[in-house]
Amino acid sequence: MTIAPTITVRRVTTTRSGGYSAPPYDSFNLGDHVGDDPAAVRRNRDRLADGIGLTPERLVWMEQIHGRNVEIVDGPRAEPVPATDALVTTVPGLALVVLTADCVPLLLSDDEAGVIAAVHAGRIGARIGIVPRVLEAMVSVGARLDRVGAFLGPAASGRQYEVPAAMRADVEARLPGSATTTVRGTPGLDLRAGISRQLTEAGVAGIAVDPRCTIEDHTLFSHRRGAPTGRIGGVIWMEAAA
C-alpha cells in the first residue's frame, strides 16, 4: 500500500528588524527595487531563506507591477518572475514571496490538494481583479475553493489609508466592502475588508487577517508613512513528510 505524503503549509510575515540594511531601509529590507544597497538586500534574502530552512534559490520572487497577472511556477527561478503579482505552485519546498509596504500580502492554500499562492493585492490590483484571477489559477491545478484558506497580512488599515472621495467610490464599486472613513473623518479604504468579502463570496473556506496596520506600526515598512523605505515579505511554502 502506498501512503500519500502529508503536506504541511507554512507561512511567515517578516518585520523590518534583524537585517543588514542601513537607514532609511533599516534593517530587514527584502525589496531590491527601492534604492537599497543590493549587497544588503542579498544578505537579508539569504537570512530569510536560512530562517525558514530553505536555500536561497528555493525562494521565488516577483517583479510586482500592480497588475493582475498570475504565474504558475513548477521550480526555482533565477530571476524574479517578470511582470506578475501572484504566484501559484504545487511543488513542496518552493517558497513564494510577496513584498509589501502598505499593500495587502495575501497567502492562500488548499492544504489537501497541495496548492499554494502568494498575491500582491494593492489598491490597483485588487480593484482590477487579481484575487479572482489567482483563485482561478489555483483551481486549474487542483484546488477547491471550499478547502482554500486565506491569510491577509499586515497592510494599510481603513483607519489610516486616506484617499480622495472619488477614488474611494471607484474602488468600492469594483471591490465592495472596501470603503471606509479614516480616524480623521476623511474618505478611506480598507482593502483587507474588501478582499475578505470577495473571498467569502467566492466560496473560500476560511479567512484570517493580521490586524496590524503598516502605517501605524513602526516595526513594519510603510511607503505612505515614509518613502523611500523597505519592503516586508509574506512567504508561503509546503513541507512534505512521508
Side-chain angles (χ1 to χ4, degrees):
M1 181 177 65
T2 301
I3 300 175
T6 300
I7 296 294
T8 300
V9 176
R10 306 291 189 190
R11 300 170 186 82
V12 163
T13 298
T14 67
T15 67
R16 65 181 300 163
S17 64
Y20 301 99
S21 297
Y25 310 103
D26 48 322
S27 62
F28 198 48
N29 166 48
L30 297 169
D32 64 355
H33 61 293
V34 295
D36 193 5
D37 176 7
V41 176
R42 265 194 314 275
R43 292 182 72 190
N44 290 338
R45 290 185 171 192
D46 288 350
R47 184 168 187 177
L48 172 63
D50 183 66
I52 65 175
L54 296 174
T55 55
E57 64 270 16
R58 301 299 296 181
L59 275 61
V60 184
W61 307 82
M62 294 181 271
E63 180 198 17
Q64 299 168 185
I65 59 169
H66 295 275
R68 57 181 176 182
N69 295 335
V70 181
E71 181 92 1
I72 298 172
V73 294
D74 58 6
R77 299 292 183 94
E79 301 291 336
V81 179
T84 193
D85 285 272
L87 299 172
V88 176
T89 194
T90 59
V91 180
L94 198 65
L96 311 179
V97 188
V98 51
L99 298 176
T100 57
D102 288 329
C103 294
V104 180
L106 173 61
L107 305 177
L108 300 160
S109 68
D110 177 342
D111 296 30
E112 184 175 333
V115 181
I116 59 172
V119 189
H120 172 238
R123 173 180 57 83
I124 297 172
R127 174 190 176 277
I128 63 177
I130 183 67
V131 174
R133 282 281 186 93
V134 75
L135 293 176
E136 290 172 6
M138 292 180 72
V139 169
S140 76
V141 293
R144 269 182 26 190
L145 294 181
D146 63 350
R147 294 191 307 233
V148 170
F151 173 75
L152 288 75
S157 70
R159 301 182 301 276
Q160 301 292 343
Y161 188 3
E162 185 175 3
V163 297
M167 182 181 289
R168 178 177 70 174
D170 174 70
V171 175
E172 175 67 19
R174 292 162 175 79
L175 188 69
S178 57
T180 188
T181 300
T182 72
V183 292
R184 293 168 292 281
T186 54
L189 290 172
D190 186 342
L191 294 180
R192 287 181 292 188
I195 292 169
S196 294
R197 176 170 168 176
Q198 191 174 53
L199 291 167
T200 298
E201 291 178 350
V204 167
I207 301 166
V209 180
D210 187 317
R212 289 177 292 174
C213 172
T214 49
I215 298 173
E216 295 173 346
D217 191 334
H218 288 248
T219 69
L220 306 168
F221 293 113
S222 170
H223 181 78
R224 280 193 159 234
R225 188 180 67 237
T229 191
R231 298 294 185 269
I232 60 172
V235 191
I236 186 167
W237 72 102
M238 294 181 288
E239 296 176 348

